[in-house]
Amino acid sequence: MNDHASFPMTSSHWGIFHAETEGGKIKALHPFEADPDPSPIGQGILDTLDAPSRIKAPMVRKSWLENGPGSNTDRRGAEPFVQVSWEEAEKLIAGELTRIRNDYGNEAIFGGSYGWSSAGRFHHAQSQVHRFLNSVGGYTRSVDTYSVAAGEVTVPYVLGGYREFTYSTSPWHVIAQETNLIVAFGGLASKNGQIAQGGIGQHAQRVGMREAAAAGVQIVNISPVRADTMDELKAEWLAARPSTDVAIILGLAHTLLNEGLHDQPFLDRYTVGFGKFAAYVAGETDGIVKDADWAAAISDLPADAIRSLARRMASGRTLVTASWSLTRQDHGEQPFWATIALASMLGQIGLPGGGFGFGYSATNTIGLDYQVLSPEALPQGQNAVDCFIPVARISDMLLNPGGTVDYKGQKLTYPEIKAIYWAGGNPFHHHQDLNRMLLAWQKPDTIICHEWSWNAHAKYADIVLPCTTTLERRDIGITNRDRYIVSMEQVSDPVGETRNDYDIFTGIARRMGTEAVFTEGRDAEEWQQWLYDRSRQAYAEKEIELPTLDELRKRGWHEIPRPAEPNLMLKCFRDDPEANALKTPSGKIEIFSETVAGYGYDDCPGYPAWLEPHEWLGQSDKRHPLHLISNQPADKLHSQLDHGSHCRASKIKGREPVMIHPAAAAARGISDGDIVRLFNGRGACLAAAVLSDGLRPDVLQLATGAWFDPLEPGAPGSMCKHGNPNMLTPDKGTSSLAQGPSAHTCLVEIEKFEGEAPPVTAFDPPEIIKRG
């Protein structure tokens, strides 16, 4: 036991910590003793708990308070806020929700959230806001995720499910023992492995990669960015054009097919539809042979490199991986589907260390060895409203009430939204084309949010309710994707008048006459006892004994043993495809899907195909000749803690760094450290140039997560001073099938910013009026 083990514990999406406190204030966070590779991200919270950016009391936008709902909505983001009491805030919200329900119906309320606010099982903002809105009659909801929407919609048509395959990939220790070659489309970005939904006991991604490399596993990184694999892995880097992965896969498939290297017996027994896919690859469908030369012209890779790679893949145990980022582009449905088809041709699906995997190191979870368990979640109740949208279509919904959108064979109708209630997540981080979203954000009468800091999510709301952080409340860290259960103690006094989400909703429900429905007579501690008891019972049914909650509170943490045998995705299916049939119409892997083909979508056929993106480097665009990669940040989770010391240390002159190749920089007179302006027809942002030969000369890399900081607050068409790439990314659905985000389909230009750069004000609070 180390010197810090006696300190109370807490858990977060970036790790478990022991919290050193003094006088109700937190002094330090010490990494969990069982974590071999702790992330530094969490340290960023220490100097933000009571910073000027902290929201310490309920706030109402001045025009809304004075003139009522719908007043001066074009001034959102630019007006002062008036500090009010909790009693007044509760009364205003209860009255507004009641007005909208009575006049327009519950479908006029959009319940926004994105689930990453807390690693705790109970204080999970997404569950809380959905439970509350269901208790008052329901709401319009969203489905799928910004992370991987196109993939999570498509893969069930091919395999019969999604998450059970994403999170049951071969563990790293099995890869080290069994795998000869990893072909990583989109790389294996270790920075992403710092985080995981529900908390992390042991960071295992970099450890696992090193173990595999030390065992002699060869790695091929197919990505525009070399840093998508760690240097120490000594991966072979194939610097393909962005958005061309499917073309490369088709070129590989053609070589396997043409040289008889594919596993026809596997295809015959375990798949359906390969003949249609093979005909497409051979050019029988459209007259275009998808051979290595064809793929080379699209991807800008040597044709011989593609042929050679196909032969290497067929010569030994090969794991084909695809990063989640590949789904976040135009036609993002295709890469995962094509990956499954390629792995099927190799015939190694279900074998240790072979087959395919989605998102190794996208989170810490993928590639771990853990028992698949189901802890209890907070019941959200029944939503009486049937209306929903794909998650990335929020601007479309707000701008086009009554309009329609295709989705999974359906035709959805957008409701007219009068109120947005958002708790958990930051739409000004996740959503694309922020100038368009600002126009959409003016449409509702009222926007209510729970936030703890003055980010754009709060500044562009009408009513802002200050919520506590993980460190200021008690909870239980228990998830189905980590072996450690943690008693998350309150280690800091709540700042100002902040309240946890449950208490906030309880107060509003009381005024709306639904308190009994929302709380079921339980306070926060009683709910946690209920959740833990139900989880403990479920685990006991699988012969896993958990301590009582009182014992867990005393011990701090509990470890669940590893499974007796490692998880091997689709092993049971391979062993007996009849007894363990997939949940597809055929019971097999559907390389061709009759269902998808039956939808008749021009932008998503019934088999994996190369479909040209609406903008990419293969077309001539002299105005915007560079492709922007807006990948996940290394120093934060999404936009969380961007204002903390750890993130601020990685900024240059207060702005987000953009990586640019020296040749591209020289052609534009840009030097290392210069403030630069990125722009296209959708918008512009400032950033700080970092010169690197670790990316293609026609590619820029600007991570997401910089808090939105417009030059002219509230005004669409302004420029972000801080470096938010979603000023530039397109708000276009991936296809009619999934309607996922296509942020990575983005062409831009870059230039040196002349003159004095405007100051960054992203972390400054708005003007606050204190009455009386």
Side-chain angles (χ1 to χ4, degrees):
M1 182 173 292
N2 64 32
D3 294 339
H4 307 129
S6 61
F7 294 144
M9 301 190 72
T10 188
S11 181
S12 70
H13 298 301
W14 42 81
I16 297 172
F17 299 94
H18 292 277
E20 184 177 355
T21 62
E22 185 177 286
K25 304 293 182 183
I26 188 162
K27 290 179 57 181
L29 290 174
H30 302 286
F32 181 41
E33 56 268 29
D35 193 343
D37 188 24
S39 167
I41 290 177
Q43 302 299 327
I45 198 170
L46 295 176
D47 65 328
T48 59
L49 282 177
D50 198 9
S53 57
R54 187 70 192 267
I55 306 170
K56 300 179 182 179
M59 302 285 174
V60 183
R61 185 170 62 87
K62 186 174 183 291
S63 287
W64 195 100
L65 184 63
E66 294 175 347
N67 303 314
S71 299
N72 297 89
T73 58
D74 61 333
R75 296 288 294 154
R76 286 183 180 131
E79 273 198 314
F81 281 84
V82 179
Q83 182 174 325
V84 301
S85 66
W86 274 107
E87 292 72 20
E88 185 172 1
E90 291 171 356
K91 183 178 178 180
L92 290 171
I93 293 170
E96 176 62 351
L97 293 179
T98 299
R99 177 187 76 87
I100 291 170
R101 292 171 64 210
N102 291 339
D103 293 353
Y104 305 100
N106 279 71
E107 75 170 26
I109 302 169
F110 180 73
S113 182
Y114 207 62
W116 282 96
S117 63
S118 172
R121 201 67 180 169
F122 175 69
H123 291 294
H124 178 245
Q126 187 180 74
S127 298
Q128 295 283 349
V129 67
H130 292 170
R131 179 178 174 85
F132 167 74
L133 291 174
N134 284 336
S135 76
V136 298
Y139 63 101
T140 293
R141 71 192 194 279
S142 64
V143 297
D144 307 326
T145 68
Y146 280 95
S147 297
V148 68
E152 62 191 314
V153 168
T154 305
V155 171
Y157 291 101
V158 187
L159 298 178
Y162 174 70
R163 295 191 183 277
E164 60 266 44
F165 302 111
T166 301
Y167 294 102
S168 62
T169 50
S170 286
W172 279 111
H173 70 88
V174 173
I175 293 171
Q177 295 168 0
E178 304 288 346
T179 305
N180 302 117
L181 175 66
I182 298 174
V183 178
F185 289 94
L188 301 166
S190 60
K191 60 182 174 58
N192 299 342
Q194 295 179 90
I195 57 94
Q197 306 96 315
I200 296 176
Q202 293 181 332
H203 285 87
Q205 291 300 319
R206 294 200 298 182
V207 174
M209 291 179 198
R210 288 168 181 149
E211 180 184 357
V217 178
Q218 297 178 345
I219 300 172
V220 177
N221 171 28
I222 302 177
S223 169
V225 181
R226 183 169 56 204
D228 279 341
T229 56
M230 299 187 298
D231 287 343
E232 61 198 273
L233 301 183
K234 295 181 171 53
E236 178 185 350
W237 179 33
L238 297 181
R241 280 176 175 160
S243 303
T244 64
D245 301 271
V246 172
I248 298 167
I249 290 173
L250 294 173
L252 294 168
H254 183 275
T255 300
L256 295 176
L257 190 64
N258 191 52
E259 299 185 9
L261 300 175
H262 60 297
D263 189 334
Q264 192 63 49
F266 180 92
L267 293 164
D268 291 341
R269 186 177 187 193
Y270 297 99
T271 76
V272 296
F274 176 70
K276 291 182 181 292
F277 175 68
Y280 170 72
V281 170
E284 299 170 11
T285 304
D286 56 7
I288 301 172
V289 178
K290 316 303 184 302
D291 60 12
D293 294 291
W294 169 86
I298 292 172
S299 65
D300 197 30
L301 294 179
D304 286 344
I306 296 173
R307 294 189 187 94
S308 174
L309 180 59
R311 294 163 188 150
R312 288 170 62 192
M313 294 171 74
S315 67
R317 186 65 55 84
T318 297
L319 176 64
V320 187
T321 72
S323 73
W324 288 2
S325 62
L326 301 185
T327 69
R328 299 194 296 273
Q329 60 182 316
D330 202 18
H331 311 303
E333 293 80 2
Q334 303 306 314
F336 280 13
W337 200 345
T339 297
I340 297 169
L342 181 62
S344 297
M345 293 181 72
L346 294 172
Q348 299 176 16
I349 292 173
L351 295 178
F356 64 91
F358 300 136
Y360 274 95
S361 200
T363 75
N364 184 65
T365 306
I366 300 172
L368 294 191
D369 205 8
Y370 57 88
Q371 302 200 48
V372 180
L373 302 167
S374 299
E376 189 70 27
L378 180 68
Q380 297 182 12
Q382 186 66 39
N383 190 347
V385 174
D386 293 330
C387 194
F388 70 91
I389 63 166
V391 68
R393 302 273 59 81
I394 184 170
S395 290
D396 286 357
M397 173 186 68
L398 297 175
L399 290 169
N400 302 296
T404 60
V405 61
D406 290 310
Y407 175 74
K408 291 173 63 174
Q410 308 168 64
K411 186 76 74 172
L412 306 178
T413 300
Y414 291 132
E416 184 173 8
I417 297 299
K418 293 295 182 178
I420 294 175
Y421 203 131
W422 206 292
N426 176 5
F428 287 83
H429 160 75
H430 282 106
H431 203 70
Q432 281 66 61
D433 196 346
L434 290 179
N435 278 319
R436 184 170 187 259
M437 196 181 95
L438 285 174
L439 290 171
W441 222 240
Q442 296 175 6
K443 298 299 182 180
D445 290 347
T446 302
I447 297 175
I448 305 163
C449 83
H450 296 194
E451 258 300 347
W452 68 284
S453 292
W454 282 113
N455 57 19
H457 176 212
K459 292 175 181 177
Y460 281 82
D462 297 310
I463 303 175
V464 182
L465 304 180
C467 57
T468 54
T469 68
T470 299
L471 302 179
E472 297 163 316
R473 58 193 180 223
R474 203 182 204 197
D475 210 337
I476 305 166
I478 180 172
T479 172
N480 60 347
R481 297 175 191 148
D482 195 88
R483 294 190 299 108
Y484 291 87
I485 300 173
V486 183
S487 177
M488 300 170 59
E489 299 302 324
Q490 179 181 327
V491 295
S492 181
D493 295 334
V495 172
E497 300 176 30
T498 58
R499 294 180 178 179
N500 65 60
D501 296 299
Y502 183 68
D503 288 345
I504 293 172
F505 285 126
T506 298
I508 300 169
R510 186 178 301 122
R511 291 184 179 273
M512 298 184 72
T514 58
E515 180 181 6
V517 177
F518 177 69
T519 68
E520 297 185 28
R522 297 186 180 100
D523 63 19
E525 187 65 28
E526 290 167 334
W527 267 115
Q528 290 174 49
Q529 183 73 61
W530 184 87
L531 289 168
Y532 189 79
D533 288 346
R534 301 264 298 196
S535 301
R536 192 166 178 245
Q537 180 180 352
Y539 283 34
E541 292 172 359
K542 293 195 174 184
E543 300 183 347
I544 296 174
E545 183 178 354
L546 299 185
T548 66
L549 183 56
D550 286 343
E551 291 170 338
L552 179 68
R553 298 291 195 202
K554 292 175 184 176
R555 296 180 193 174
W557 58 278
H558 176 77
E559 181 181 3
I560 297 170
R562 297 180 188 274
E565 295 292 331
N567 296 317
L568 296 176
M569 183 172 64
L570 292 168
K571 179 182 183 299
C572 293
F573 172 67
R574 185 184 185 98
D575 290 344
D576 191 336
E578 288 76 33
N580 302 298
L582 302 180
K583 296 176 183 178
T584 57
S586 64
K588 298 182 179 183
I589 298 170
E590 303 215 341
I591 296 176
F592 174 83
S593 168
E594 292 280 3
T595 304
V596 174
Y599 295 152
Y601 294 146
D602 292 338
D603 55 1
C604 190
Y607 49 78
W610 159 253
L611 302 167
E612 185 174 357
H614 68 88
E615 57 185 77
W616 69 299
L617 292 174
Q619 66 192 34
S620 177
D621 186 345
K622 295 181 180 179
R623 298 170 304 157
H624 311 117
L626 302 174
H627 191 116
L628 177 65
I629 300 292
S630 51
N631 56 1
Q632 291 298 311
D635 53 8
K636 49 187 166 282
L637 165 57
H638 297 315
S639 65
Q640 290 185 36
L641 300 182
D642 186 43
H643 58 325
S645 57
H646 179 64
C647 289
R648 294 200 312 271
S650 66
K651 297 182 187 293
I652 300 172
K653 299 175 184 176
R655 293 167 223 273
E656 201 69 17
V658 56
M659 193 159 65
I660 180 172
H661 193 278
R668 294 162 176 81
I670 295 171
S671 299
D672 199 68
D674 281 348
I675 301 301
V676 292
R677 175 177 172 264
L678 288 74
F679 61 94
N680 60 17
R682 291 178 287 270
C685 71
L686 299 184
V690 175
L691 274 57
S692 171
D693 62 0
L695 75 171
R696 288 175 54 97
D698 49 9
V699 166
L700 302 175
Q701 182 263 311
L702 175 63
T704 59
W707 284 10
F708 177 53
D709 189 21
L711 184 63
E712 299 177 34
S718 185
M719 173 182 69
C720 178
K721 303 175 292 181
H722 190 203
N724 189 319
N726 280 326
M727 295 298 292
L728 306 156
T729 54
D731 187 13
K732 177 189 179 298
T734 50
S735 84
S736 302
L737 181 69
Q739 297 291 349
S742 53
H744 288 307
T745 301
C746 183
L747 294 181
V748 302
E749 180 56 288
I750 188 171
E751 64 185 8
K752 183 176 178 179
F753 186 81
E754 300 295 346
E756 185 176 352
V760 174
T761 55
F763 309 137
D764 296 347
E767 180 186 349
I768 296 172
I769 301 170
K770 295 185 178 181
R771 294 184 298 186

